[in-house]
Amino acid sequence: MQEVIYGCMGLGGSWSDEPHNAAHVDQAAAAVQAALDAGITLFDHADIYRSGKAEAVFGEVLAATPGLRERIRLQTKCGIRLNERGLKTHYDLSREAILERVDGSLKRLQTDYVDILLLHRPDPLADPAEVASAVGQLMAEGKVRQLGVSNMSAAQIEALQDRLETPVVANQLEMSLLKRAWLESQVLVNHAEHLDYSFPHGTLEYCTRNGITLQAYGSLAKGIYTGAEPESPTSAEAATAELVADLAGEYGTSGEAILLGWLMKHPAGIAPVIGTANPDRIGACRDAERVARAMTRAHWYELWVTARGSNIP
Ligand SMILES: NC(=O)c1ccc[n+]([C@@H]2O[C@H](COP(=O)([O-])OP(=O)(O)OC[C@H]3O[C@@H](n4cnc5c(N)ncnc54)[C@H](OP(=O)(O)O)[C@@H]3O)[C@@H](O)[C@H]2O)c1
């Protein structure tokens, strides 16, 4: 389904173990309300966001708002471990880890189930049969309704799908006007520049052919085209920010809606995940679908070529 998704990575305060406070819960409540006002009903989490505090503050908002759980869909992720056993990051898609991590997320979110569980990153040590067994158990227990993945190639999804009893429904990848490997790899076939991009070829096509929604994280490009003012912007970044502002004026909308509309115009049916915690910026995204429908082919290409800073072949 093509829609804008609210990414909760910015909620819950610091990434340290320091506990969250009432101001963090208020911030989450304001962000959730702004997202609902913008027509957003799917909320993206991960067990690790802000060391569990993104889920915890969201859970407090859910508990304090009767009927909210029924109005929204919740997605969370497991598979990454942070700051454990002397390692900054390692991956863990073992059966025990999946079961334990989902239980932790449900507890923090104060809910009985998540609508979608994403496997956050491929774990080289994972056994697809073991993953399938854990996911099957979680579904049978009613804790998880659907399974998706994140940062996976077509071949990796296919290998997993062979073992699963239910279809993979989503693949979350970094995709934006700034991070364009997904798009460049589609056109730089048989071209020397293809070596500059590492996106696994055929993944977009595999997902669309198999009904797997492509969810785009980083879709607002961290604000560099909409006023975030990076320290030393490249000439392509500065020119793109100017173009985004011009087009926002022309389409009677915000720069954020131009960025998201540009992604959503792609026929793969991309669902952008927005990570701003600022209620005004969340509201600025509400027009994205209209922009996607209205944006001309010429403007779509102009944005792409300006962002890449050189002509396409
Ligand atoms: N699957 C994965 O591996 C993965 C990885 C990363 C993220 N995600 C998901 O995707 C979501 C979105 O990703 P993201 O947060 O990295 O990307 P994003 O939506 O492109 O960027 C959001 C960040 O940019 C800032 N920002 C946006 N516009 C701005 C502006 N005009 N001026 C100043 N700052 C601005 C926001 O700050 P403010 O809050 O102040 O607006 C926020 O810190 C996350 O919340 C998470 O749910 C998934």
Side-chain angles (χ1 to χ4, degrees):
M1 183 163 97
Q2 196 171 27
E3 62 184 332
V4 175
I5 299 167
Y6 185 71
C8 298
M9 192 172 76
L11 307 179
S14 74
W15 283 84
S16 74
D17 290 338
E18 188 191 347
H20 66 268
N21 59 37
H24 299 129
V25 179
D26 290 348
Q27 179 203 36
V32 170
Q33 191 55 54
L36 293 171
D37 291 346
I40 295 171
T41 56
L42 178 55
F43 292 82
D44 178 66
H45 283 272
D47 55 349
I48 57 168
Y49 290 166
R50 313 280 159 163
S51 299
K53 287 179 289 186
E55 289 180 331
V57 292
F58 202 97
E60 289 192 32
V61 174
L62 276 178
T65 319
L68 179 59
R69 179 66 188 93
E70 292 70 38
R71 289 168 62 200
I72 64 169
R73 284 164 299 138
L74 281 177
Q75 170 173 283
T76 195
K77 313 184 194 76
C78 66
I80 300 183
R81 288 180 179 269
L82 292 180
N83 305 320
E84 289 177 28
R85 299 183 198 113
L87 292 167
K88 191 168 178 298
T89 302
H90 69 285
Y91 305 141
D92 191 349
L93 288 177
S94 62
R95 183 183 149 75
E96 311 77 65
I98 294 172
L99 296 176
E100 179 212 310
R101 287 306 178 121
V102 170
D103 279 343
S105 290
L106 294 179
K107 198 166 169 206
R108 285 186 294 274
L109 287 165
Q110 303 198 38
T111 186
D112 298 332
Y113 70 97
V114 289
D115 296 85
I116 308 174
L117 174 69
L118 302 187
L119 306 178
H120 208 151
R121 281 194 173 273
D123 168 12
L125 297 180
D127 169 2
E130 208 183 296
V131 173
S133 144
V135 171
Q137 180 175 328
L138 289 167
M139 287 184 173
E141 290 170 348
K143 293 177 179 174
V144 167
R145 297 207 166 158
Q146 292 186 300
L147 182 74
V149 297
S150 179
N151 301 302
M152 285 204 194
S153 69
Q156 288 170 318
I157 300 173
E158 209 165 20
L160 178 65
Q161 186 65 76
D162 279 351
R163 300 293 184 148
L164 292 169
E165 303 215 344
T166 56
V168 170
V169 298
N171 187 16
Q172 191 175 104
L173 300 159
E174 186 164 25
M175 302 164 85
S176 70
L177 189 56
L178 177 67
K179 301 289 181 169
R180 297 175 309 278
W182 60 279
L183 178 60
E184 302 287 346
S185 72
Q186 271 200 308
V187 296
L188 295 174
V189 174
N190 196 27
H191 192 280
E193 274 180 39
H194 84 276
L195 293 172
D196 298 341
Y197 298 96
S198 67
F199 194 83
H201 213 263
T203 295
L204 246 55
E205 292 79 359
Y206 175 83
C207 290
T208 49
R209 287 174 67 196
N210 288 282
I212 299 170
T213 302
L214 288 152
Q215 299 182 352
Y217 71 80
S219 57
L220 293 176
K222 301 277 184 199
I224 68 156
Y225 301 137
T226 49
E229 293 180 7
E231 260 175 37
S232 43
T234 64
S235 56
E237 286 167 359
T240 306
E242 207 172 304
L243 177 60
V244 167
D246 287 351
L247 292 177
E250 195 162 327
Y251 285 89
T253 190
S254 63
E256 284 82 1
I258 294 292
L259 293 180
L260 304 183
W262 179 82
L263 274 172
M264 292 170 96
K265 187 175 171 64
H266 190 282
I270 296 164
V273 189
I274 59 163
T276 174
N278 177 316
D280 289 339
R281 280 200 268 277
I282 297 170
C285 298
R286 70 177 321 143
D287 237 5
E289 273 183 84
R290 177 183 74 78
V291 172
R293 285 194 298 276
M295 189 179 284
T296 65
R297 181 176 276 264
H299 285 152
W300 191 87
Y301 272 95
E302 192 182 356
L303 281 162
W304 178 17
V305 170
T306 307
R308 80 198 300 273
S310 61
N311 282 321
I312 46 178

